[in-house]
Amino acid sequence: HAFRAAIEASGIEDEGELQKYRDRLEEIVAGFGPEFRRRFNENCRRKLGLASFDNEGESLWQGLESLMSASKVDFTIMFRLLSHMFQTQELEGDTLPEVAPALSEEEAENELARLDRAFYDGVPEGDEAKAWISWIHRYYRKIAQESRDPKERIAEMNQANPKYILRNWMTTLAYTKATKDHDYSLVSELYHLLQNPYDESHSGVSDPEERWFLRTPEWAQNMPGVSFMS
């Protein structure tokens, strides 16, 4: 409505010229929904490392969203850890490792354990664990059926899921040290870390994974102005 109002208030007096802009606006509006959905689906496909985002891919995405919403999970860490799953063989050389068509129950439980870092309350148990394991079985079957080069899949996932993001608790540590101690070392460190947020290693940043690839620490979880977006 705002765009249409702007066109009508543009001062263009020629009705034919106005109609040309109205038609173009309608064309853009009509195409926005499908284009947004296409790009959204492509992003979901890359984040899951799938070759195609078909009905099963969409179902896997929706299932994961539901699980993450039901469990207390750090979304950024969870998505990054998905690329660590199903790496049971070395990924060196040009020969694709043989992939079993399905996981055993024990293997599925081990895959869930790989995601431990993302859970605030530890690896789920009971019915919650069963729901996650059921999803892991489905996810693995989809990966196995697509027979995608695992190195290619992992590389694409790691470019779609950043390892490091700027969180409020991180900035709180940095600006507190800067204002109270006149020490800008953390500001500089975070600046360098976030230059390449998708990379595993960072020269000049000490132990980045142990210090910054973390859930929101307990001290910040209920702190006003810090817990949100952390």
Side-chain angles (χ1 to χ4, degrees), residues 2-227:
F3 287 123
R4 180 178 287 277
I7 290 173
E8 301 301 333
S10 65
I12 299 174
E13 297 181 357
D14 185 278
E15 183 61 26
E17 188 73 6
L18 274 174
Q19 190 58 47
K20 181 179 72 172
Y21 287 114
R22 294 189 194 108
D23 292 344
R24 177 57 181 151
L25 175 61
E26 292 299 328
E27 180 183 342
I28 293 171
V29 170
F32 175 80
E35 181 63 14
F36 176 86
R37 174 54 58 180
R38 184 188 70 78
R39 294 190 182 222
F40 177 80
N41 288 348
E42 173 63 9
N43 187 51
C44 296
R45 181 197 68 75
R46 294 178 67 240
K47 291 178 82 67
L48 291 180
L50 303 179
S52 63
F53 198 68
D54 52 13
N55 290 338
E56 177 61 9
E58 185 171 5
S59 178
L60 282 167
W61 177 267
Q62 293 171 350
L64 179 60
E65 282 189 318
S66 296
L67 287 168
M68 292 194 299
S69 296
S71 301
K72 196 174 181 183
V73 168
D74 184 294
F75 281 34
T76 299
I77 294 177
M78 175 61 71
F79 277 116
R80 183 70 178 198
L81 291 180
L82 290 180
S83 68
H84 294 203
M85 300 178 74
F86 317 136
Q87 294 188 34
T88 57
Q89 301 184 46
E90 294 296 324
L91 302 180
E92 302 297 333
D94 298 325
T95 303
L96 296 183
E98 292 186 9
V99 178
L103 293 175
S104 69
E105 199 66 16
E106 181 180 1
E107 288 172 329
E109 291 173 359
N110 290 338
E111 293 298 340
L112 178 60
R114 289 178 188 258
L115 306 177
D116 175 50
R117 196 184 191 102
F119 292 101
Y120 278 90
D121 298 323
V123 176
E125 299 178 351
D127 290 341
E128 186 181 358
K130 290 179 182 178
W132 276 96
I133 288 171
S134 175
W135 183 86
I136 288 170
H137 279 298
R138 291 178 53 214
Y139 183 40
Y140 179 83
R141 285 195 297 270
K142 174 70 169 167
I143 295 293
Q145 288 167 3
E146 291 185 338
S147 299
R148 191 178 183 191
D149 184 327
K151 289 185 291 185
E152 176 187 292
R153 173 175 60 82
I154 292 166
E156 183 176 58
M157 292 177 74
N158 285 343
Q159 284 300 306
N161 300 307
K163 183 162 186 173
Y164 302 102
I165 61 171
L166 186 60
R167 303 169 184 262
N168 283 355
W169 67 266
M170 295 161 65
T171 59
T172 299
L173 291 175
Y175 71 64
T176 299
K177 194 174 186 69
T179 54
K180 287 189 175 182
D181 304 330
H182 303 288
D183 182 342
Y184 293 86
S185 59
L186 284 185
V187 174
S188 177
E189 184 172 332
L190 291 177
Y191 172 78
H192 285 94
L193 182 74
L194 296 168
Q195 292 298 296
N196 298 288
Y198 297 91
D199 291 359
E200 286 288 338
S201 59
H202 291 266
S203 59
V205 179
S206 175
D207 300 322
E209 180 164 318
E210 295 304 315
R211 296 172 60 225
W212 304 119
F213 187 54
L214 301 172
R215 303 181 300 269
T216 302
E218 189 172 347
W219 62 264
Q221 289 180 21
N222 296 307
M223 184 179 290
V226 177
S227 60

